[in-house]
Amino acid sequence: MTTRIGALIAVCGIASSVSAQPTLLNISGATLYQEFLESAAATNDFLNVDGDSDAVGNPITIGDQLAPGSISSLGGIWAVHYTAVGSGNGIRDLDRVGAANPSGNGFVKGTASNPIDGTFTSVSEGRANRATFISGGSLVTPPAVAANPRGYAVRSLTDGSYLATNSTDDAIAGIQIDAAPTDVPITWFIRQDGSPSFGAAPGSSGYGQNLIESFNRESGVQGEISNQLRLLENTFVQGTAPAGMENKEIFGTSLSAAPVVYLVNFGTGYSQLCQTELQFGLVSGRLPNGENLAFATRDVGSGTRNAANNGICLDPSYGMGDNYGPQASDDTTDRLGPLYQASNKGGSSRMDRSVSNNRLAIGYTGAERAFNRGYIVRDGATGNSEMDVLAIKFDDPAYGGTEFIRPTIGNILDNAAGQGYHVLAPSSVGTIGDPRSSLNLDINDFDGDGDTSEPIRGVDMDNTNPPVPNPAAAAWLNNVTRSTEAFAGDPGDNETLFTPGEFLALNFIPGGTTDFVDGPMGACDLIQNPAPNQTLQDFVRIFSVLGEAEYGEFNADGIGLVPDRTVGIVYSDGVANGANYIDAAGNPLAYRTGLNVENKVAFDFNVDDVRDIGDAELMVEAFEVRNSGATWSGESAVSFEIIGDANGDGNFDVVDVRTAADGLLPQSGVVNRRASYQAVDNASDGNFFDTTLITGISYPAGSGWSCADLTGTDGRQPTPGYHVNASDGVIDLQDVDYVAKQFSDLDDAAFTWGDTVEASLATFDNGRRDLSGDMNDDQQVDEADVLAILSWLGVPQGDLDLDGDVDGDDLAIAQANEGSTTALYSGGDVNFDGIVDEGDFVILGATPELCADQNGDGQLASDDFSAWLGNFLDGNLVADINRDGQLQGDDFSSWLSAFLGGVLSGESCSPQG
């Protein structure tokens, strides 16, 4: 049924209307609605916009196309541009280059390479009346015109008519964004004042405020792109504009609900995950058991990211995943190789192909895309498919689920908390002004009756809200929503065939069809649907694309496709120009063909269908085959570069082995880093990574001490949750400091892995916390891990100059940094409490401060109480009499006891932070 109707819609899109000059409509936003916005149905006439009587009540001629043919031919009623930038980015486009743009009379001029009077977000895909003008981030000419902003095919006149023109004259023509489709309510994109919190709900304090930025993939330095949600610059959310500025409000018009699925590459070995595991993976880049999978993400302006995160009760600013690189809208970043990037994808197509190519990847996309784009469709002969979607146990307290739920149409419609599929958000289209306002006038005489002062069709005559400046935007949106309402009222009737409403109902979730809907606090606050439509629910249950069988069961026969690599490069397998992979026997494996079962699970070098510490021996052997001519003793059909590429660069090399040791070889289901490094050492000559220690201590064979080599002397920093990229071959105090940074600012001086709250807390320099600091395999990063490294270096705690003892030279280093909260261990924070102070000085051999004698005059008198109180109120640890590292009320009791006992100073009461 779905396929048949889709084909008919395409056919019916051929019909066209005639107009002397169409009105230009620029739509920028959701990629989750890409299937709809690129379809002919989106601009098929339902309201009889053009006045030719072909639309309403005449099933033979339904399909009257209002935006026909080539956009540059300027035919039809509308000329329509759609750019797939992501929902939040579309709202930003509307805000910056919409009618409220304070420059250029609201229009952007200039060229694709130099648009003036406005700032566009980057584009992954773009259509001009359904013809591609941007593909993979690059202009397609024609219909793209490089002389236009963003490369749009045409401009509109700036005289208020919005009529389309082929002119590139900035004096008379420009570009303005008119509508921004969003996958979630507009307010879900707007950050709120307050302290950041990974569980913040839309509109709550601190929502969207995560301070951690993405990392540069090579250097590990932060600052590539912000994870914070948006703020509006020129516009206001509906109902919030100051008096007199109501014409700058963004109105949200409801469309339908858009379910999101979590895509999974078969190479991960996972078919289901708990909601809390997904939360942790997106926050930290690893699973709670320590596995460093590739958690692919859209950029923070994406509505799909917003829905995917809010649906699992995670503030989308914390949905960082691997968290590296800038926004990636170019399709070259989808192919494995030097430019591959799993993070911050600039469109659904970019996300989908990135997950397909990366054997360790988990991502997300629109539920309908999984089937419509063939990702989960199974090969009739082999049963193989490109990818699959995860079942989720919604175990967060907001849902309380106990079973794993797949995104079937039944689970989406029958969605009681914990029993249904909950990654679903109500969508809307943002416009400046209200499309239903009676003040939206037919100034371009769409209906051909000669009256340009009457309201356009589909408005509410008693609605006097500010109108939409461009009449085509109001007419288009009313045509969509009125057809949606008609379909909901009588699903499947002839009058709604091939209309926008029918397409939306068959591919998305219309309002009124789910048993529960979002409450005041968003997706994790379900309430009973106040306006259920049982007839519509019954129709959708039967005919929705989400009813396809593939949604109901994970593909046990699925293996996936041979990944795509950037060609023209010689990778570690030595294939000329990188045109294909080869297996261990030298046989070619062509890109994007069905993969063989021996290469199904990433890093499963012994081909037992499990990735674990038992794969270390053959992994090292494979490395030696590539680098020293060793003989391969494993399965001949294995491709080292397919199953052993941890960072997506198309190679299998030492970085991949280190990343595997750091987070891809579980032992009894849990990643034990040091045990994995030991396994790698023992599979080689005892020191696989050729690690040295700065103090000259010999590296013990098979010790796994290389797990402590985390940072680089060349300025490279680790990228937590991505791969181990900064190791420089030497264990030194930089590594000690990196480990100390993971916990020294926490109240309990310990970073417990698996605790999402702690994993979400930025370090003092707004970095992400890292399991790589765990040296003793207790799944916690704390003082014991630092002391382990110091013991391997052969120095005592407090030896800051690494000369083998703790003396005045070490004390001088600490005293030079007194009061610092950034100096870390090497700068004198030797007790790991986050500050260099008196407590550290005592450990380093300083004379203990006076205790009961708080003013230091060598006597005990009443003014010592005043001195103690002053120290206490100033936060000076001299007042920490009981030596617990904190200033609390019981320090007074300790001081009084010392005072009455005549204790001037000494070990019994000297402060130690």
Side-chain angles (χ1 to χ4, degrees):
M1 176 69 175
T2 303
T3 303
R4 179 182 68 81
I5 289 177
L8 288 172
I9 288 173
V11 171
C12 289
I14 296 173
S16 65
S17 302
V18 177
S19 175
Q21 190 173 2
T23 307
L24 179 61
L25 168 61
N26 294 314
I27 304 171
S28 187
T31 63
L32 205 61
Y33 275 90
Q34 189 171 348
E35 301 283 337
F36 170 63
L37 293 165
E38 293 178 358
S39 73
T43 47
N44 271 345
D45 194 359
F46 172 77
L47 280 178
N48 194 22
V49 171
D50 58 4
D52 64 2
S53 302
D54 280 350
V56 180
N58 190 347
I60 296 175
T61 56
I62 285 176
D64 187 20
Q65 182 53 248
L66 298 173
S70 167
I71 193 171
S72 56
S73 68
L74 302 183
I77 297 297
W78 301 323
V80 181
H81 289 127
Y82 160 59
T83 47
V85 299
S87 300
N89 294 327
I91 293 297
R92 185 165 64 175
D93 277 349
L94 188 65
D95 176 63
R96 290 181 174 181
V97 293
N101 177 15
S103 302
N105 195 29
F107 288 85
V108 177
K109 318 292 181 60
T111 66
S113 60
N114 185 31
I116 58 176
D117 296 327
T119 303
F120 287 110
T121 55
S122 59
V123 180
S124 172
E125 305 291 330
R127 302 291 183 269
N129 279 15
R130 296 171 301 285
T132 300
F133 80 97
I134 299 177
S135 179
S138 301
L139 294 184
V140 178
T141 307
V145 177
N148 285 335
R150 211 181 221 170
Y152 281 116
V154 297
R155 301 188 187 196
S156 63
L157 297 177
T158 57
D159 60 0
S161 68
Y162 292 90
L163 293 173
T165 176
N166 286 314
S167 173
T168 59
D169 185 353
D170 286 347
I172 63 171
I175 290 291
Q176 187 177 107
I177 301 301
D178 304 302
T182 69
D183 309 328
V184 301
I186 293 169
T187 54
W188 289 20
F189 287 107
I190 309 303
R191 70 176 185 257
Q192 305 294 322
D193 291 338
S195 299
S197 171
F198 84 93
S204 66
S205 175
Y207 176 71
Q209 289 284 7
N210 178 25
L211 299 176
I212 300 173
E213 298 172 329
S214 73
F215 300 87
N216 179 280
R217 65 172 294 161
E218 298 299 332
S219 69
V221 175
Q222 293 174 255
E224 290 283 275
I225 193 171
S226 172
N227 281 298
Q228 289 187 311
L229 297 184
R230 308 299 191 205
L231 290 176
L232 297 176
E233 299 173 6
N234 303 309
T235 56
F236 305 89
V237 175
Q238 181 180 348
T240 65
M245 302 186 73
E246 291 84 359
N247 64 335
K248 296 182 182 294
E249 288 189 338
I250 297 179
F251 283 71
T253 300
S254 176
L255 275 186
S256 60
V260 174
V261 292
Y262 276 85
L263 283 176
V264 61
N265 192 297
F266 292 110
T268 66
Y270 284 93
S271 63
Q272 58 188 31
L273 286 172
C274 293
Q275 174 189 358
T276 50
E277 290 176 311
L278 285 171
Q279 287 175 349
F280 193 86
L282 289 166
V283 167
S284 73
R286 297 186 188 229
L287 287 175
N289 73 344
E291 279 188 271
N292 197 353
L293 302 181
F295 279 91
T297 62
R298 294 283 306 281
D299 68 276
V300 76
S302 158
T304 313
R305 169 170 167 163
N306 200 297
N309 284 265
N310 268 307
I312 61 169
C313 309
L314 179 65
D315 178 336
S317 70
Y318 282 92
M320 297 173 283
D322 280 13
N323 197 40
Y324 68 97
Q327 182 176 337
S329 297
D330 193 321
D331 60 3
T332 60
T333 66
D334 307 340
R335 294 185 286 273
L336 304 184
L339 299 179
Y340 176 79
Q341 183 175 319
S343 297
N344 297 319
K345 307 303 291 188
S348 290
S349 297
R350 306 283 70 79
M351 163 69 87
D352 301 348
R353 184 54 67 90
S354 295
V355 174
S356 175
N357 282 329
N358 192 323
R359 300 298 296 172
L360 289 168
I362 293 175
Y364 40 76
T365 196
E368 86 294 342
R369 294 173 66 91
F371 184 84
N372 285 343
R373 302 246 167 168
Y375 304 146
I376 62 175
V377 176
R378 303 176 188 184
D379 182 272
T382 66
N384 188 27
S385 59
E386 183 174 351
M387 293 179 280
D388 212 312
V389 297
L390 288 173
I392 301 174
K393 182 193 293 184
F394 291 91
D395 60 336
D396 185 276
Y399 295 130
T402 59
E403 303 293 331
F404 286 97
I405 307 294
R406 285 189 60 85
T408 64
I409 187 61
N411 289 333
I412 291 170
L413 299 176
D414 307 324
N415 62 335
Q419 301 173 36
Y421 187 83
H422 301 306
V423 191
L424 175 76
S427 65
S428 62
V429 177
T431 54
I432 297 176
D434 186 350
R436 292 287 177 96
S437 172
S438 62
L439 301 179
N440 291 296
L441 302 182
D442 187 10
I443 62 173
N444 292 327
D445 195 18
F446 294 142
D447 59 10
D449 67 356
D451 187 351
T452 59
S453 62
E454 64 185 354
I456 62 171
R457 295 179 186 270
V459 302
D460 298 326
M461 294 306 295
D462 59 349
N463 184 332
T464 57
N465 286 329
V468 177
N470 185 348
W476 169 75
L477 193 47
N478 288 338
N479 189 65
V480 171
T481 56
R482 293 299 192 187
S483 70
T484 302
E485 292 164 8
F487 189 91
D490 190 6
D493 72 304
N494 286 340
E495 291 187 8
T496 58
L497 287 177
F498 319 125
T499 62
E502 182 194 47
F503 190 101
L504 288 168
L506 293 174
N507 290 275
F508 302 95
I509 305 299
T513 58
T514 59
D515 292 344
F516 290 83
V517 295
D518 294 346
M521 297 302 292
C524 296
D525 179 30
L526 294 179
I527 61 173
Q528 195 88 31
N529 192 331
N533 185 332
Q534 190 61 51
T535 302
L536 182 60
Q537 185 186 86
D538 294 342
F539 180 92
V540 170
R541 193 185 301 273
I542 296 172
F543 293 111
S544 172
V545 67
L546 303 176
E548 298 290 347
E550 285 84 346
Y551 289 97
E553 185 178 9
F554 190 83
N555 186 4
D557 296 320
I559 302 171
L561 304 182
V562 176
D564 215 1
R565 290 191 293 193
T566 298
V567 298
I569 297 169
V570 178
Y571 295 96
S572 57
D573 52 12
V575 177
N577 294 318
N580 57 266
Y581 288 91
I582 59 171
D583 62 22
N587 299 311
L589 299 171
Y591 298 156
R592 308 300 295 171
T593 59
L595 194 59
N596 55 305
V597 70
E598 289 85 355
N599 291 298
K600 179 174 181 177
V601 178
F603 285 87
D604 178 22
F605 281 88
N606 62 11
V607 193
D608 63 354
D609 294 327
V610 178
R611 174 181 55 251
D612 60 16
I613 200 168
D615 292 295
E617 185 172 352
L618 281 178
M619 178 179 67
V620 171
E621 183 179 296
F623 178 85
E624 292 171 345
V625 169
R626 285 284 181 261
N627 293 275
S628 59
T631 301
W632 175 244
S633 63
E635 293 279 355
S636 61
V638 167
S639 165
F640 306 151
E641 282 67 29
I642 290 178
I643 69 169
D645 182 9
N647 62 353
D649 68 356
N651 296 298
F652 171 60
D653 53 27
V654 67
V655 174
D656 299 303
V657 176
R658 184 179 284 278
T659 302
D662 197 83
L664 287 171
L665 302 177
Q667 185 180 33
S668 300
V670 176
V671 170
N672 291 312
R673 293 184 63 258
R674 181 162 177 215
S676 296
Y677 277 91
Q678 287 176 312
V680 170
D681 277 349
N682 288 326
S684 62
D685 61 357
N687 185 3
F688 176 86
F689 298 104
D690 295 325
T691 303
T692 62
L693 291 89
I694 192 68
T695 54
I697 299 290
S698 296
Y699 185 95
S703 66
W705 286 2
S706 50
C707 67
D709 179 16
L710 300 172
T711 63
T713 55
D714 59 358
R716 284 178 299 155
Q717 296 294 313
T719 52
Y722 171 35
H723 74 115
V724 185
N725 63 321
S727 305
D728 60 5
V730 180
I731 301 174
D732 54 24
L733 286 186
Q734 285 190 88
D735 302 307
V736 172
D737 279 350
Y738 184 74
V739 175
K741 186 173 73 170
Q742 309 309 314
F743 68 87
S744 62
D745 62 334
L746 296 176
D747 290 341
D748 61 355
F751 169 36
T752 302
W753 189 255
D755 184 332
T756 311
V757 174
E758 289 196 346
S760 70
L761 297 176
T763 59
F764 71 83
D765 56 356
N766 286 331
R768 176 192 250 174
R769 298 187 193 269
D770 194 355
L771 178 63
S772 294
D774 181 15
M775 301 293 135
N776 58 4
D777 291 345
D778 64 354
Q779 311 305 304
Q780 186 166 277
V781 185
D782 55 18
E783 181 177 352
D785 299 299
V786 174
L787 296 181
I789 301 176
L790 294 176
S791 70
W792 300 343
L793 290 172
V795 298
Q797 181 179 359
D799 181 8
L800 303 183
D801 56 11
L802 303 182
D803 64 355
D805 59 17
V806 179
D807 56 20
D809 294 334
D810 305 301
L811 176 61
I813 293 172
Q815 289 176 330
N817 292 310
E818 183 172 7
S820 174
T821 57
T822 63
L824 296 170
Y825 177 85
S826 66
D829 182 19
V830 294
N831 63 1
F832 314 111
D833 66 352
I835 187 170
V836 181
D837 58 14
E838 188 67 32
D840 302 296
F841 302 158
V842 171
I843 292 176
L844 294 170
T847 302
E849 293 287 340
L850 297 181
C851 181
D853 179 18
Q854 288 280 296
N855 62 10
D857 65 359
Q859 302 179 44
L860 295 182
S862 59
D863 54 1
D864 285 304
F865 170 74
S866 301
W868 174 84
L869 184 59
N871 289 329
F872 183 92
L873 295 176
D874 291 340
N876 190 335
L877 283 177
V878 170
D880 177 24
I881 310 301
N882 63 9
R883 300 166 50 82
D884 65 355
Q886 302 180 58
L887 294 179
Q888 296 176 330
D890 53 4
D891 287 304
F892 171 70
S893 301
S894 298
W895 174 83
L896 183 60
S897 177
F899 182 85
L900 296 176
V903 181
L904 291 173
S905 64
E907 187 65 23
S908 63
C909 65
S910 58
Q912 179 174 312

